Amino acid sequence: MINLNKISYQYSDQDVLTNLSLSLQSNRINCFLGPSGCGKTTILNLLAGIIQPDAGTITGLENQAISYIFQDTRILPWKTVYQNVVFPMTGKINKSEIASNAERFLKHVRLWDKKDVYPNHLSGGMKQRVSIARAFTYPSSVILMDEAFQSLDIVLKKHLLHDFAKSWMDANRTVICVTHDLDEALLLGQNIILLPSAPINEASNIKIDQNPGMFREGIEEYKEQIIALMHQ
Amino acid sequence: MKILFSKNSLITTLAVILILFLWEFASRSLGSSQLLPGSADTIKTFFRLISKEEFLPSLGSTVIRGLTGFGFALIISLLVGIPSGLSPSINAFFSPFLIIIRSTPVISIILLALIWFKVEQVPVFIGFLTMFPILTTNLIEGMRSVDKGLISMARVYRIKKIRIISDIYLPGTSPFLFSALLTASGFGWRAIIIGEVLSQPRFGIGSMMQQAQSYLMVAELISWTLVAVIVGFLFEQILRISQKRIISWE
């Protein structure tokens, strides 16, 4: 269990988080859902250690390896697809394990045949799939994901959500993602945390005890519940 | 692309013909092969010159001096530029050195170098001082332009600092570095030849130019100039080929 205890954070003298406490489930997909600019990415950056809270503590992430799927992919233009995927692991675990992990996840995201291609020959969706394969290939216990499917068209988005779900079911790690897209949260999330506009001081959540993917049951009811909670 | 290339080659060929035509025109107008020999005479002199005994030692000495100056400038600019690009404090320390080197007139450096160094070393030192600030300034600029998002990605994945430098900063900086190498080498070869003209080592393109000038052998002076142009051009081509190979991802 990962806990945020009374976290406060200011950005340019504006309160983003004030005294926020919440719990995230291990080995599940935790999905923060909230409007753009509400401070979702701030929560991820705090969890990743990219920024530090002004007050409060985060427990459950001490000495844990973290993967991050960024909104803007952040893959290295001078490395091939395969080199990008293995980049975080080189020198950390043995080569055969790296190779077999990379192959497994590149196949999940349907990029194995493009493994020797440089990113400038890839589409935006393909670059995001490289970023997903990199996150899963890295032996982390937590994967953070920031609006990773935002800039993609609806068909590509569905394909990518499917690739992500397939990779997650293979590795079963704690995922913490943020999105402003309700459908995306309903497809992926097992613990959906609703965030109000900044400053955030409390959050309600909804649990969906099903695998991620297109064929979840009772999605319409969950949707109504979430919309009702959002309007409270 | 192919059509564009052949069109541009045609334009370049026409420009070369124009230069030869203007040269021939100027030479005939002056009417003195002593002051400005015609292109045919100069080409004959050029071929006679390359068969001379002192040609290879002179060419070789200048090339070795050029490469030595270039090598030193590159190594020291990496040693200064990488830490300066990473740390504003280190940059603040080195910046007065760079400003002084950049703004001192080359002739002052040559005159001082003539006092401080052996004649063989003067051109290398001048070449180094000409190239070093260009390379270092561009390297620092390149390091600063590297996408900070890639650095924070590497930090999240707990990549060691040394690999952040070798796998992110250096490849990210390499387009800047190559364009600086091309500019620096252009200035560098000229500076080395000026150094040779003034310090007069036994062999060197600049020494040969100085001798030709003393005896008013204009055809020979132009021929040595042609040798210098070819050396600079070939070096630039080698740099461009390396650039294409190293920056293969673009």
Side-chain angles (χ1 to χ4, degrees):
Chain A
M1 190 98 92
I2 298 160
N3 290 308
L4 279 76
N5 311 308
K6 298 184 175 169
I7 296 285
S8 293
Y9 186 79
Q10 272 196 338
Y11 182 75
S12 309
D13 288 339
Q14 293 272 320
D15 285 327
V16 184
L17 310 174
T18 49
N19 229 4
L20 177 70
S21 295
L22 54 86
S23 298
L24 299 164
Q25 294 182 295
S26 300
N27 305 103
R28 310 293 271 169
I29 302 179
N30 300 274
C31 202
F32 285 102
L33 177 67
S36 296
C38 78
K40 301 188 294 284
T41 303
T42 305
I43 296 179
L44 280 195
N45 287 340
L46 285 165
L47 290 165
I50 296 174
I51 52 175
Q52 300 301 321
D54 299 332
T57 53
I58 296 170
T59 55
L61 274 175
E62 300 83 2
N63 304 315
Q64 303 267 25
I66 291 173
S67 297
Y68 203 136
I69 303 169
F70 296 90
Q71 191 177 351
D72 54 354
T73 76
R74 302 195 189 178
I75 57 174
L76 305 172
W78 42 85
K79 291 195 182 281
T80 62
V81 166
Y82 185 84
Q83 289 167 343
N84 262 291
V85 167
V86 302
F87 173 65
M89 279 163 300
T90 311
K92 288 179 188 163
I93 56 174
N94 71 60
K95 275 188 182 172
S96 61
E97 199 180 332
I98 293 175
S100 75
N101 275 355
E103 183 176 345
R104 191 163 108 225
F105 288 106
L106 274 171
K107 281 180 175 166
H108 280 324
V109 298
R110 296 167 290 122
L111 275 180
W112 182 242
D113 58 332
K114 294 250 186 293
K115 66 181 183 351
D116 298 320
V117 171
Y118 283 103
N120 71 338
H121 299 293
L122 301 177
S123 66
M126 284 173 170
K127 285 181 192 166
Q128 200 49 281
R129 273 143 64 189
V130 176
S131 174
I132 293 172
R134 176 175 67 190
F136 278 98
T137 305
Y138 187 64
S140 56
S141 46
V142 179
I143 295 177
L144 306 177
M145 183 160 72
D146 183 11
E147 304 260 18
F149 312 117
Q150 195 188 27
S151 53
L152 309 170
D153 68 60
I154 189 77
V155 180
L156 207 58
K157 200 180 220 179
K158 290 225 156 134
H159 277 300
L160 233 72
L161 284 167
H162 174 74
D163 292 342
F164 182 86
K166 208 160 65 178
S167 302
W168 180 79
M169 284 190 274
D170 187 350
N172 232 316
R173 303 197 202 140
T174 305
V175 171
I176 303 163
C177 62
V178 305
T179 180
H180 67 276
D181 181 342
L182 177 56
D183 292 320
E184 194 180 307
L186 286 166
L187 278 171
L188 286 182
Q190 293 168 317
N191 178 26
I192 301 175
I193 304 129
L194 301 171
L195 297 176
S197 299
I200 302 169
N201 52 12
E202 61 172 347
S204 44
N205 68 326
I206 282 194
K207 291 202 167 91
I208 304 179
D209 203 12
Q210 295 176 44
N211 272 337
M214 311 285 183
F215 309 107
R216 293 177 135 187
E217 288 170 9
I219 284 301
E220 283 307 314
E221 287 143 44
Y222 287 120
K223 199 175 199 169
E224 279 167 22
Q225 273 185 47
I226 291 173
I227 292 170
L229 275 169
M230 280 170 146
H231 287 99
Q232 264 180 20
Chain B
M1 199 65 196
K2 216 169 189 180
I3 296 165
L4 190 74
F5 176 73
S6 55
K7 189 183 153 199
N8 285 342
S9 313
L10 185 72
I11 294 171
T12 309
T13 314
L14 284 173
V16 171
I17 292 169
L18 179 71
I19 293 166
L20 289 173
F21 172 78
L22 288 174
W23 178 0
E24 203 57 43
F25 177 77
S27 160
R28 286 187 191 197
S29 306
L30 279 170
S32 162
S33 62
Q34 286 279 306
L35 276 179
L36 183 61
S39 50
D41 276 352
T42 311
I43 290 164
K44 260 188 249 163
T45 312
F46 175 79
F47 283 107
R48 211 177 48 238
L49 186 119
I50 58 176
S51 57
K52 273 187 173 176
E53 212 174 278
E54 69 262 27
F55 177 74
L56 278 180
S58 299
L59 174 68
S61 303
T62 300
V63 169
I64 290 169
R65 282 183 201 118
L67 294 178
T68 313
F70 192 79
F72 270 121
L74 181 60
I75 292 168
I76 297 179
S77 71
L78 286 171
L79 292 176
V80 173
I82 293 173
S84 302
L86 290 173
S87 151
S89 312
I90 298 176
N91 187 38
F93 175 78
F94 281 118
S95 85
F97 290 90
L98 287 168
I99 292 169
I100 291 169
I101 297 172
R102 245 194 331 250
S103 39
T104 308
V106 178
I107 194 69
S108 315
I109 298 172
I110 295 175
L111 292 172
L112 287 170
L114 283 168
I115 301 168
W116 293 337
F117 298 107
K118 291 178 186 160
V119 284
E120 289 291 333
Q121 296 163 342
V122 173
V124 178
F125 178 70
I126 291 157
F128 165 77
L129 278 189
T130 308
M131 293 186 270
F132 169 72
I134 302 173
L135 294 179
T136 312
T137 313
N138 278 275
L139 190 64
I140 295 170
E141 207 56 48
M143 295 277 291
R144 286 197 189 139
S145 74
V146 168
D147 182 357
K148 296 293 170 287
L150 297 178
I151 310 298
S152 67
M153 176 276 292
R155 296 232 169 92
V156 171
Y157 284 108
R158 294 181 188 167
I159 310 279
K160 285 186 182 147
K161 189 120 194 181
I162 187 82
R163 279 194 72 217
I164 295 182
I165 293 172
S166 67
D167 287 39
I168 298 179
Y169 275 113
L170 284 183
T173 307
S174 57
F176 279 82
L177 188 59
F178 267 105
S179 93
L181 286 172
L182 285 165
T183 315
S185 78
F187 284 113
W189 285 113
R190 276 178 272 178
I192 280 164
I193 289 169
I194 294 171
E196 287 176 342
V197 168
L198 294 167
S199 67
Q200 286 287 300
R202 188 164 165 227
F203 292 111
I205 295 175
S207 308
M208 296 300 135
M209 281 179 173
Q210 165 69 17
Q211 277 178 29
Q213 198 265 350
S214 326
Y215 297 107
L216 289 177
M217 296 189 299
V218 180
E220 199 154 307
L221 179 53
I222 295 173
S223 299
W224 277 113
T225 307
L226 202 59
V227 174
V229 169
I230 294 169
V231 169
F233 175 76
L234 288 178
F235 192 71
E236 190 182 313
Q237 292 312 305
I238 293 169
L239 279 178
R240 285 190 194 280
I241 293 166
S242 326
Q243 182 180 22
K244 266 195 180 164
R245 291 231 168 144
I246 293 172
I247 311 177
S248 55
W249 64 85
E250 279 190 339

